[in-house]
Amino acid sequence: MSVREERPIPAPPVNPETRPFWDAAAAGRLLLKRCAACTQPHHYPRVICPFCGSDRTEWTEATGRGTVYSYSVFRRAPIPYAIAYVTLAEGVTMMTNIVDCDVDAIRIGQPVRVVFKPTEGGPPVPMFTPA
Amino acid sequence: MTIRGKAYIVGVYEHPTRKADDRSLAQLHAEVARGALEDAGLTKDDVDGYFCAGDAPGLGGLSMADYMGLKLRHIDTTETGGSSYVIHVAHAAQAIAAGKCDVALVTLAGRPRAEGMATGTAPRSYGAAAPDVAFELPFGPTVVNQYAMAAMRHMHEFGTTSAQLAWIKVAASQHAQHNPHALLRDVVTVEDVLASPMIADPLRRLDCCVITDGGGAVVVARPEVAKRLPRPRVPVLGAGEAVKHQAGGRIDLTYTGAVWSGPAAFAEAGVRPADVKYVSIYDSFTITVLITLEDLGFCDKGRGGKLVADGNLIAGVGRLPFNTDGGGLCNNHPANRGGMTKVIEAVRQLRGEAHPRVQVKNCDVALAHGTGGSLATRHGSATLVMGRE
Ligand SMILES: [Zn+2]
């Protein structure tokens, strides 16, 4: 099944802690937070590292490459869509949608790359498409 | 401090309604409270501890104490979604053991059907200030498609099949046929489940729990109170609670917080999974049951599909009878929160008061487990082990 119609995408609420992520998304770049104290990347981004508690977290640009960790096509929706968790090359896993593809052909482990999709009145959000 | 033997479940009540157009939410809470107190042989004036969660109206415990006219010296409104009430029973036992109250009342009620909620299928947001909302809401997370992703991953890693998941619903339906209050009383087959419409791959309509109004209540009391009451005594033997989250993005959908809450509860109770004669397992979806049983140690991780298949969860047929009231899959899921009814059916089993067709013989140890929130990514896990005297 190829999904042609576009699902309206709600705008993400932006706050001071996460504004750099969304400003970068508007410029087509996917950012992660990485901790200078323990070196670990995390997502969603926080000022305080969820692993070691340090506030020495820094924005870092992700490659935008990853693989599908899991997914589900929501058939019940007016316009079916594929929700997924994608594990980035950097090692963190994020919720997203798999788009611009035949949703019936999505598979766990499939390589994907980031694309940014417009939202209703907010910054674009990172989704993924087969690489 | 252990709670083992320090508190007893002395009263339980499940509201018979499944659609409450003609009742207010506060009224439902008060009706289940009265039902459980009557079951115990107590009155509201005996209650000095009260427990409720996010389903209670207004200011929660404060509003309900006001409405019911309770005189309290202990209150606890721990909110862990549908697992809250399993935790509340444990916290009530702890409070009693610590001398903070003598008779604790726990209530749950809701009317999602009367209010026309799209419970499992509408994207859910907990408000703009929730730290995860911006990174999830745009992608359309619903209850069902998030649980579906856990099922998809489990199938990928362990070869679990849709037919194995279907056996969980089949077992629930076999039990529900004997429950006159159950919303769905028709027995279904694996084929029926597999033929039901796909909602979110790989979960079909019959993999999903019902949406019902109603509620339930439990009364927990100290031994001195329990011993003068006429009902069979159900001691709280042990409890465990845990929160599992996304670990900063190191997401693993294949297990739940039951891997922590289960061992804690078994250790406190001094029993092992093999000692448990009956289990009430939160069944928001079939996959919830399968993963929870693995995590509680009823089989090895990844072997849950084999454990639940071929009628093994059916009372009188299999070796691990579960949810003999029909569970959330067939009987009742009041307020979209299933923890309360899990405790209630376990108490019925321990008292020997389950329906004769599903009563487990010599049921001396039972377990109730709640899972509240988003499976494997943000949920409360609560395990309660109970006995009989
Ligand atoms: Zn750190």
Side-chain angles (χ1 to χ4, degrees):
Chain A
M1 179 175 67
S2 188
V3 180
R4 295 181 181 281
E5 298 159 282
E6 295 291 320
R7 180 178 67 91
I9 300 166
V14 177
N15 64 41
E17 187 180 16
T18 60
R19 182 169 298 285
F21 180 94
W22 298 111
D23 288 347
R29 298 189 305 135
L30 177 63
L31 297 189
L32 296 176
K33 267 294 185 80
R34 185 180 294 278
C35 176
C38 73
T39 77
Q40 297 301 309
H42 70 259
H43 184 81
Y44 52 90
R46 298 127 162 120
V47 164
I48 306 288
C49 172
F51 299 117
C52 77
S54 169
D55 63 357
R56 293 170 54 212
T57 55
E58 298 163 349
W59 294 103
T60 173
E61 185 166 355
T63 60
R65 300 261 164 189
T67 56
V68 175
Y69 172 75
S70 194
Y71 70 97
S72 176
V73 179
F74 192 41
R75 310 279 176 183
R76 184 83 192 282
I79 303 170
Y81 59 94
I83 194 169
Y85 282 109
V86 163
T87 303
L88 299 176
E90 290 77 9
V92 299
T93 299
M94 60 186 286
M95 183 182 285
T96 187
N97 293 145
I98 307 297
V99 295
D100 302 335
C101 67
D102 175 359
V103 294
D104 291 327
I106 298 169
R107 293 293 176 264
I108 288 176
Q110 181 176 12
V112 290
R113 62 179 172 82
V114 72
V115 291
F116 287 89
K117 293 291 179 180
T119 63
E120 294 182 307
V125 294
M127 295 186 177
F128 288 80
T129 192
Chain B
M1 184 181 76
T2 175
I3 58 173
R4 182 173 179 170
K6 302 282 180 58
Y8 291 76
I9 297 174
V10 296
V12 294
Y13 183 76
E14 179 180 8
H15 205 294
T17 193
R18 299 292 180 267
K19 193 159 191 292
D21 290 316
D22 55 349
R23 288 177 166 88
S24 77
L25 181 53
Q27 178 188 355
L28 284 170
H29 275 271
E31 287 177 354
V32 296
R34 193 172 72 160
L37 287 164
E38 280 180 5
D39 180 55
L42 295 167
T43 74
K44 75 164 183 69
D45 293 334
D46 296 306
V47 174
D48 60 354
Y50 179 58
F51 296 70
C52 65
D55 54 281
L59 288 171
L62 304 182
S63 295
M64 286 316 306
D66 178 52
Y67 181 97
M68 293 191 282
L70 300 178
K71 177 80 168 68
L72 302 176
R73 62 187 182 107
H74 190 78
I75 187 165
D76 180 335
T77 57
T78 299
E79 169 59 38
T80 57
S83 62
S84 302
Y85 320 92
V86 182
I87 285 183
H88 289 166
V89 173
H91 288 190
Q94 292 160 11
I96 289 166
K100 302 300 183 185
C101 57
D102 296 318
V103 175
L105 169 68
V106 187
T107 66
L108 155 86
R111 45 202 306 282
R113 280 185 87 197
E115 293 164 10
M117 278 177 66
T119 295
T121 53
R124 73 170 171 186
S125 165
Y126 296 103
D132 43 18
V133 66
F135 301 90
E136 299 201 345
L137 191 61
F139 309 115
T142 63
V143 179
V144 60
N145 67 7
Q146 293 189 80
Y147 280 67
M149 285 194 283
M152 191 72 88
R153 185 71 196 185
H154 202 277
M155 290 176 166
H156 174 77
E157 287 200 27
F158 306 115
T160 306
T161 67
S162 291
Q164 290 171 331
L165 289 177
W167 270 109
I168 298 167
K169 169 72 175 186
V170 169
S173 78
Q174 286 284 341
H175 299 149
Q177 67 176 317
H178 305 297
N179 181 351
H181 299 299
L183 185 74
L184 305 177
R185 296 190 65 192
D186 290 341
V187 170
V188 300
T189 64
V190 168
E191 291 69 32
D192 293 332
V193 179
L194 297 181
S196 66
M198 189 67 81
I199 304 295
D201 307 85
L203 297 181
R204 295 174 171 83
R205 181 167 184 181
L206 295 187
D207 287 298
C208 305
C209 66
V210 300
I211 297 170
T212 51
D213 300 345
V218 174
V219 180
V220 187
R222 72 169 53 259
E224 294 82 350
V225 175
K227 287 191 167 67
R228 62 166 203 262
L229 296 174
R231 307 289 280 130
R233 284 196 296 278
V234 173
V236 176
L237 298 181
E241 64 189 63
V243 175
K244 180 163 184 257
H245 52 63
Q246 305 181 88
R250 297 174 184 175
I251 290 170
D252 186 336
L253 296 179
T254 63
Y255 73 96
T256 72
V259 299
W260 304 305
S261 67
F266 286 126
E268 188 167 45
V271 303
R272 298 172 304 151
D275 300 319
V276 176
K277 304 293 199 319
Y278 165 81
V279 293
S280 282
I281 305 292
Y282 197 171
D283 52 348
S284 46
F285 300 91
T286 51
I287 185 65
T288 319
V289 176
L290 189 150
I291 294 182
T292 302
L293 288 172
E294 292 176 348
D295 293 342
L296 290 173
F298 288 100
C299 65
D300 290 338
K301 178 49 70 180
R303 302 283 287 172
K306 189 169 168 54
L307 175 68
V308 303
D310 304 322
N312 207 28
L313 301 179
I314 301 173
V317 175
R319 74 171 175 89
L320 189 62
F322 100 123
N323 297 9
T324 40
D325 60 336
L329 289 167
C330 295
N331 170 31
N332 197 10
H333 192 224
N336 307 317
R337 290 158 171 263
M340 175 64 75
T341 44
K342 298 296 162 290
V343 175
I344 292 171
E345 182 66 6
V347 170
R348 291 191 192 111
Q349 282 287 352
L350 289 162
R351 288 173 167 181
E353 295 177 354
H355 189 283
R357 297 290 297 275
V358 298
Q359 176 66 50
V360 175
K361 290 187 178 61
N362 191 30
C363 187
D364 55 354
V365 179
L367 175 149
H369 183 88
T371 308
S374 298
L375 188 68
T377 59
R378 268 137 307 170
H379 67 252
S381 288
T383 310
L384 188 69
V385 179
M386 294 151 280
R388 70 172 185 197
E389 285 183 356

